Amino acid sequence: MNKVNYNDIFNEQISKVKATDKILLHVCCAPCLSGVIKRFEGLNLTLFYYNPNIMYKEEYDQRAQALIDYVDKINKGLAGVKFDKKVRLIIPEYDNLYFLNKISGFEKDKEGGTRCRICFALRLQKTYEFAKDNYYKYFCTTLTVSPHKDADIINRIGQQYEGYIPSDFKKNDGYLNSIKECKKHNIYRQTYCGCLFSTNNIKK
Ligand code: SF4
């Protein structure tokens, strides 16, 4: 069976987005954002850091701060990407208990299993709900830039919701770019995905 080319689908759909259309981009962390931000250049972009999976609060805050600093650079024109309007960043309240309740019983799954599917689903669902409640026409996620995450699984979840733009950001050297950008801008790169249940701490 031929695999769906989500990168082509992204390119086609993003080319139809008007500069006035509001897009909400779910962002898992600054490193992943740095690999994909150019794909949204010039658009009316808001970032949504909804990641109750990150353990624990200190780590969540450290990643949030890295994102705040990087967005500041973007808005000051220091990140090599241009936007007509300021890129906004929304950081909802941290609720790790919500994540723990949702993945209860799947703690021992290996990376990429049911626990991760639930984790993707709860983040995309919340992003969709926020987008809908706040009149965003489109939403998307940076999650597909990670070589450890299956774009097909993520996009099948996202495509249940109106306004979702599928992607496969690891194509076009998205992941490599994120490593380069992190070095260039001295962005904090975490050593594990987010929760502490992965047996092997995988670098994103
Ligand atoms: S390993 Fe990553 S994607 Fe999987 S459940 Fe944990 S935080 Fe979520």
Side-chain angles (χ1 to χ4, degrees), residues 18 32 48 68 114-115 118 125 135-136 146 156 161:
K18 299 187 198 97
C32 288
F48 193 58
I68 290 166
T114 303
R115 188 189 66 242
I118 296 169
Q125 185 186 356
Y135 310 104
Y136 286 82
S146 167
R156 279 172 192 268
Y161 302 113

Side-chain angles (χ1 to χ4, degrees), residues 53 99 111 115-116 119-120 123 149 193-195 198:
N53 52 308
F99 167 76
E111 176 115 15
R115 188 189 66 242
C116 295
C119 180
F120 301 150
R123 287 188 277 172
K149 294 185 172 60
C193 181
C195 72
S198 310

